[in-house]
Amino acid sequence: MNDLAPLLTPEGRALLDEVRDTDPAQELAVATRLRREHPAELVSAALGQARLRQRAVVKFGAEDAGRMFFTPNGVEQSTRASVAAYRARRMADLGITSVADLCCGIGGDAIALARAGIRVLAVDRDPQTAAAARANADALGLADLVEVREADVTEVDTAGFDAVFVDPARRGGRGRIFDPEAYSPPLSWAVSAARRAPRAAALKIAPGIPHEAVPEDAEAEWISDGGDVKEAVLWFGTEPGAVRATLLPGPRTLLSRGLPDPAVRPPGRYLYEPDGAVIRAHLVAEVADRVGGGLLDATIAYVTADALHPTPYATAYEITDHLPFNVKKLKALLRERRVGTLTVKKRGSAVEPEELRRKVKPQGPHAATVFLTRVAGAPAMLIGHPA
């Protein structure tokens, strides 16, 4: 039985409005009161949906999240609205007017595509998930552009659509799935579906996919939002072989120029920490070229340079000290400079940030950033602050 159905009735919608801002700490009292006037199952469903909507605000914004319908998996696995909107704009810019959204989930991408003026067939085999997608298209006034179909995506004919978008399930009973062929449906099936699309296709995949697993006829794009890597996308029908990192908001896109790995050099005055999408896309060399820098270590994605060259693709820090790794020396230096707010960043170090903070016990009015890393293979500490 589809447990969203009672919430779509007038009584269910009124109850959802009433419990919208319920504090989780007050749920029991609220539920006890409401069960005097409404069926217990409906009250439980409304309160559960209210919790999901509160969690969904970070992905969809308060206005949309407050009107949409969610499943627990839907909140966790749906695309962040800003990322979906960016991808939909790319589709629209390619002249796409219709998309088959396969494995649509609760409809986050279908909503973004429809808002870009694209007609969407949204397909999911799970009845409850498909019902949520249908309810969301209706709730946001997009039902004329979004058709939701409950079906196995491998059995859906997409011939009548300009493009396909596939978001395979990447979680199983034991958590995240890292083997692309263990996705549901497998990546190989999704690639075949993409190649059959008349105009273009996009496949959403995990950002940790090995570069050697990217098909030669696909463009690979890694996307971050606010500095957090969100996903990778394989595009077909765009620029075969291209590799790019796209940073949101913006968007700002860094394209691969096939540069060789940067040389390793001694620490300069500035350290650049590339955005995670840049690192995942293997575009650290492009950042190093932009800032006239090199690597601290051949295996670490930290760029060092003598001059400040602001770039959206990396965060710059001015380095004041470079020391071999030594907790006692770091503690003494922080005490001398009265550092009480210590940001710890690490790459290539086994030391945990919280463990280091406990040992150095920072105190004072000043702030600093310490990088635990390797310099030419040797454990090191670089201390500085945002440039």
Side-chain angles (χ1 to χ4, degrees):
M1 180 180 176
N2 175 14
D3 63 3
L4 282 181
L7 296 176
L8 301 177
T9 64
E11 181 183 10
R13 291 179 183 276
L15 197 54
L16 278 173
D17 288 340
E18 188 170 351
V19 302
R20 175 191 300 268
D21 299 317
T22 299
D23 186 327
Q26 301 299 317
E27 272 193 12
L28 181 57
V30 171
T32 301
R33 174 176 57 81
L34 292 175
R35 282 170 181 160
R36 298 179 188 132
E37 302 174 6
H38 304 278
E41 294 82 0
L42 182 59
V43 171
S44 295
L47 287 169
Q49 192 61 221
R51 285 196 302 272
L52 293 175
R53 286 177 167 183
Q54 290 167 6
R55 287 168 51 196
V57 167
V58 68
K59 283 191 174 183
F60 291 92
E63 184 175 351
D64 280 356
R67 298 157 62 193
M68 293 172 67
F69 294 85
F70 299 96
T71 65
N73 285 341
V75 172
E76 295 296 331
Q77 299 177 25
S78 57
T79 303
R80 184 179 290 258
S82 54
V83 178
Y86 161 73
R87 189 166 41 241
R89 286 196 300 272
R90 274 205 74 178
M91 287 276 195
D93 290 344
L94 290 168
I96 302 300
T97 61
S98 61
V99 172
D101 178 2
L102 308 179
C103 310
C104 70
I106 55 127
D109 284 284
I111 289 165
L113 289 164
R115 283 176 167 168
I118 297 172
R119 179 173 60 88
V120 185
L121 170 64
V123 183
D124 203 284
R125 68 181 179 184
D126 179 71
Q128 185 175 343
T129 303
R134 190 175 294 108
N136 289 335
D138 182 64
L140 299 179
L142 300 168
D144 289 345
L145 282 171
V146 180
E147 174 195 347
V148 179
R149 188 180 301 173
E150 180 190 325
D152 185 328
V153 297
T154 63
E155 300 174 357
V156 173
D157 182 7
T158 62
F161 295 84
D162 291 342
V164 298
F165 172 67
V166 189
D167 182 5
R170 295 180 299 282
R171 285 182 180 271
R174 297 183 178 180
R176 291 184 185 276
I177 296 172
F178 297 97
D179 176 7
E181 284 308 296
Y183 292 174
S184 181
L187 181 60
S188 57
W189 180 89
V191 169
S192 296
R195 288 172 174 157
R196 292 194 299 270
R199 297 281 300 278
L203 312 181
K204 178 179 172 181
I205 55 176
I209 186 172
H211 280 233
E212 56 268 24
V214 175
E216 291 184 359
D217 56 339
E219 170 197 329
E221 179 178 34
W222 279 261
I223 302 174
S224 68
D225 188 12
D228 295 329
V229 182
K230 294 302 177 186
E231 64 184 55
V233 185
L234 300 183
W235 291 90
F236 292 80
T238 54
E239 301 176 61
V243 176
R244 69 174 69 206
T246 296
L247 281 55
L248 303 177
R252 296 177 180 273
T253 294
L254 182 65
L255 277 168
S256 171
R257 293 186 284 133
L259 298 178
D261 291 340
V264 176
R265 52 152 291 176
R269 182 176 177 182
Y270 294 94
L271 181 149
Y272 293 85
E273 182 182 28
D275 182 272
V278 171
I279 296 172
R280 292 284 194 176
H282 295 181
L283 299 182
V284 174
E286 277 70 11
V287 167
D289 184 66
R290 281 173 171 255
V291 302
L295 297 179
L296 290 172
D297 184 274
T299 63
I300 305 293
Y302 281 143
V303 174
T304 185
D306 297 317
L308 178 61
H309 296 285
T311 171
Y313 304 109
T315 302
Y317 296 83
E318 185 172 5
I319 299 303
T320 56
D321 301 270
H322 166 213
L323 305 169
F325 180 79
N326 187 300
V327 175
K328 289 184 178 179
K329 287 185 178 180
L330 177 62
K331 184 175 182 178
L333 185 148
L334 297 176
R335 185 188 304 118
E336 176 187 335
R337 297 186 183 170
R338 301 172 64 202
V339 171
T341 303
L342 181 66
T343 300
V344 182
K345 293 179 172 287
K346 69 164 196 164
R347 285 200 183 128
S349 172
V351 178
E352 292 300 325
E354 286 307 317
E355 176 190 353
L356 184 67
R357 286 194 192 89
R358 285 195 300 269
K359 289 181 177 179
V360 300
K361 300 176 182 176
Q363 293 181 355
H366 301 140
T369 300
V370 59
F371 293 87
L372 306 179
T373 187
R374 293 194 301 270
V375 172
M381 306 182 299
L382 280 72
I383 298 95
H385 54 80

